[in-house]
Amino acid sequence: MHGFVRNRAAHPVTERPVTLNAWEAVYFDQSLPRLLKLVDLAADAGVERFVLDDGWFSGRRDDTSSLGDWTVSEEVWPEGLAPLADAVHAKGMQFGLWFEPEMINPDSQVAREHPDWMLSPRTHRPQEARYQQVMDLTNPKAFEHVKRQMLEVLDSTQIEYIKWDFNRDLYEAVSPITGRPAYHRQTLATYRLLQEIKNVYPHLEIESCAGGGGRIDLGILEYTVRVWGSDCTDPIERKQIEAGTCLLLPPELVGSHVASPISHQTGRSLNLALRASNAMFSHMGIEWDLTTASDKELTELAGWVKLHKQLRSMLHSGRVVHLDHPDQGYWIHGVVAENQASAVYAITRLRTSAQRPSPALCLPGLEESTTYRVRELLPQGVESEIREGHGSVPWWKEGLELPGSVLENSGIRFPDLNPLQTVLLEVSAR
């Protein structure tokens, strides 16, 4: 399936830029001075794209109002978005911006002026979700309103990327004009809006966000080059989320971010190695207020970003593997290069187990007659968390060499890990 998806004409051909999304860093508390500090730290970490999320447009101080009013807030951005975009570009990064073009808040200027622009039966309004209704893009006037306002924002500021969100489901999606269900026509209108924006800005990249992983399919991927796997950025939760997503999509299409030390969704405390190593395999990003990070954390984060850049051409072209292991307390996955000359595997302990020491691990996807060197993979300057004794194995420090047939069929012992601990294995042909 990944080979099929990668062979589409719409598949991105350039390396996927490491992205910092500012949502979990600032939420709606946007200001130029605060964001400029984040821009500097992002550039120092090796970020290649900086994205400003929800809260930049007129009246939008929380999530209850103003969807549909796509004009830059003069209150928050008196000089427009150009000062922030210029600072981002001066640091060598691309600038991205959040939109939710298909949605409308009843508490908005456009809804007050055009209450008939919402998908709705004639007898009543659909139940609100997230204080939102759906903009009727099958209505030519509503379509042109959204398109015109988006293009005016894109015309006013150099923007290379749109995070295109869609935060509520379509239900009771009835055209006020025809009185008939409009689900299919609304979808086609959304595709047309995407295409017409791209016609004006052909190099613009668009992410399909959709309230997290709500719209991940090959239809939307004719117009977008990235999906957001889930609004949950906890890497433990992300293991299964991204494994399921990867049944269809190769990892370079799936955004995965290094988030805060304490997950904003689960409250779980998570070390940087776990957070970064999980994001490293996908379209890597950061969703963390770096102004709160220590110097040590910032240095280590930069190391993980650098490692990702060194590996991403292989990670985003190779064969994704998920490994069964006798100890179900482990989650193990990896990528094997197309030519089978190298591979990277991630071993994560999710929970404790009655089995100690851990049973041997077989590494699939390798060429049987090739001799491989196996060693722990770490960013430069980051020390191994594995110490001698305490469940370690004799070969861990120096690595080992074995034929692919042994690695795949007999397997190797690896250190007993603690819950929420992860290690990476690098396998390379000798």
Side-chain angles (χ1 to χ4, degrees):
M1 183 58 75
H2 288 184
F4 169 79
V5 173
R6 284 169 170 161
N7 283 329
R8 298 171 307 119
H11 196 74
V13 295
T14 58
E15 289 188 326
R16 300 294 75 213
V18 177
T19 298
L20 184 140
N21 189 64
W23 176 239
E24 288 189 17
V26 302
Y27 289 103
F28 288 102
D29 187 16
Q30 296 183 5
S31 71
L32 182 59
R34 183 177 185 185
L35 285 160
L36 289 179
K37 293 177 183 177
L38 196 59
V39 167
D40 289 342
L41 292 171
D44 292 343
V47 168
E48 297 160 307
R49 173 184 285 160
F50 185 98
V51 180
L52 181 65
D53 211 287
D54 191 359
W56 57 267
F57 49 99
S58 297
R60 186 70 164 179
R61 303 286 70 78
D62 56 34
D63 65 352
T64 65
S65 72
S66 303
L67 290 174
D69 299 336
W70 301 110
T71 57
V72 178
S73 170
E74 294 181 359
E75 175 189 353
V76 180
W77 299 100
E79 299 179 66
L81 295 173
L84 177 62
D86 291 347
V88 169
H89 293 133
K91 291 288 185 177
M93 297 183 287
Q94 298 176 10
F95 180 64
L97 192 62
W98 181 95
F99 283 92
E100 196 171 4
E102 300 158 75
M103 294 298 152
I104 181 172
N105 285 127
D107 182 9
S108 63
Q109 180 179 340
V110 66
R112 286 185 285 272
E113 293 177 357
H114 303 282
D116 57 326
W117 283 6
M118 302 180 218
L119 286 177
S120 176
R122 292 169 178 168
T123 56
H124 63 278
R125 288 275 182 234
Q127 179 180 335
E128 283 187 17
R130 295 173 61 117
Y131 311 101
Q132 297 174 204
Q133 297 288 357
V134 181
M135 179 76 82
D136 181 10
L137 295 181
T138 71
N139 181 325
K141 293 180 179 178
F143 183 97
E144 288 302 321
H145 164 84
V146 175
K147 174 185 168 183
R148 175 181 57 78
Q149 287 199 326
M150 291 184 70
L151 288 176
E152 285 176 355
V153 174
L154 293 170
D155 291 343
S156 69
T157 307
Q158 183 182 341
I159 297 170
E160 289 83 12
Y161 179 80
I162 287 178
K163 180 181 177 182
W164 186 296
D165 219 334
F166 178 79
N167 276 319
R168 63 157 287 169
D169 295 329
L170 288 173
Y171 49 85
E172 294 193 278
V174 177
S175 165
I177 298 174
T178 67
R180 297 179 60 83
Y183 296 87
H184 184 58
R185 290 179 59 221
Q186 177 77 2
T187 301
L188 296 180
T190 298
Y191 289 170
R192 184 161 60 89
L193 180 58
L194 284 156
Q195 187 60 62
E196 292 192 16
I197 296 292
K198 291 275 291 179
N199 288 344
V200 179
Y201 288 96
H203 300 296
L204 183 74
E205 292 201 346
I206 302 177
E207 171 188 321
S208 173
C209 180
R215 185 157 60 186
I216 295 175
D217 58 64
L218 298 185
I220 202 70
L221 280 166
E222 288 300 298
Y223 309 93
T224 62
V225 293
R226 189 186 202 249
V227 301
W228 181 225
S230 171
D231 279 344
C232 183
T233 52
D234 180 323
I236 295 298
E237 302 295 321
R238 275 288 187 140
K239 294 293 184 186
Q240 189 158 1
I241 289 166
E242 291 175 19
T245 306
C246 271
L247 292 176
L248 174 67
L249 301 185
E252 62 269 25
L253 296 180
V254 183
S256 183
H257 291 179
V258 184
S260 303
I262 298 178
S263 170
H264 287 201
Q265 291 78 35
T266 66
R268 189 157 34 199
S269 296
L270 301 151
N271 65 60
L272 183 50
L274 174 61
R275 287 144 51 215
S277 63
N278 185 75
M280 189 182 76
F281 284 83
S282 300
H283 184 165
M284 187 179 192
I286 298 167
E287 193 107 3
W288 176 13
D289 184 358
L290 298 182
T291 66
T292 66
S294 68
D295 290 344
K296 182 177 183 297
E297 288 174 320
L298 292 171
T299 299
E300 184 175 345
L301 176 63
W304 283 105
V305 170
K306 183 178 180 180
L307 181 62
H308 168 76
K309 291 178 180 179
Q310 293 168 352
L311 296 171
R312 66 183 162 189
S313 61
M314 186 275 284
L315 295 175
H316 294 169
S317 64
R319 179 186 177 192
V320 175
V321 293
H322 289 90
L323 289 65
D324 292 324
H325 188 264
D327 185 341
Q328 295 185 7
Y330 283 99
W331 186 282
I332 305 167
H333 65 97
V335 176
V336 181
E338 286 183 289
N339 62 5
Q340 298 178 294
S342 62
V344 176
Y345 301 92
I347 305 171
T348 302
R349 166 70 87 174
L350 300 181
R351 57 186 180 273
T352 57
S353 171
Q355 296 176 275
R356 290 180 80 91
S358 299
L361 169 65
C362 296
L363 302 177
L366 303 174
E367 204 283 316
E368 289 195 353
S369 62
T370 298
T371 297
Y372 292 93
R373 179 169 177 79
V374 183
R375 66 180 184 90
E376 183 181 15
L377 177 62
L378 288 166
Q380 185 176 358
V382 176
E383 294 185 3
S384 175
E385 296 181 0
I386 306 301
R387 302 287 182 261
E388 292 185 13
H390 302 289
S392 185
V393 289
W395 64 267
W396 191 254
K397 187 174 181 180
E398 302 298 331
L400 56 78
E401 293 185 359
L402 287 170
S405 58
V406 175
L407 293 172
E408 183 156 5
N409 299 309
S410 300
I412 56 173
R413 283 282 319 286
F414 63 93
D416 290 319
L417 304 180
N418 295 320
L420 307 187
Q421 189 175 13
T422 192
V423 294
L424 297 179
L425 291 181
E426 180 183 50
V427 179
S428 53
R430 194 180 63 180

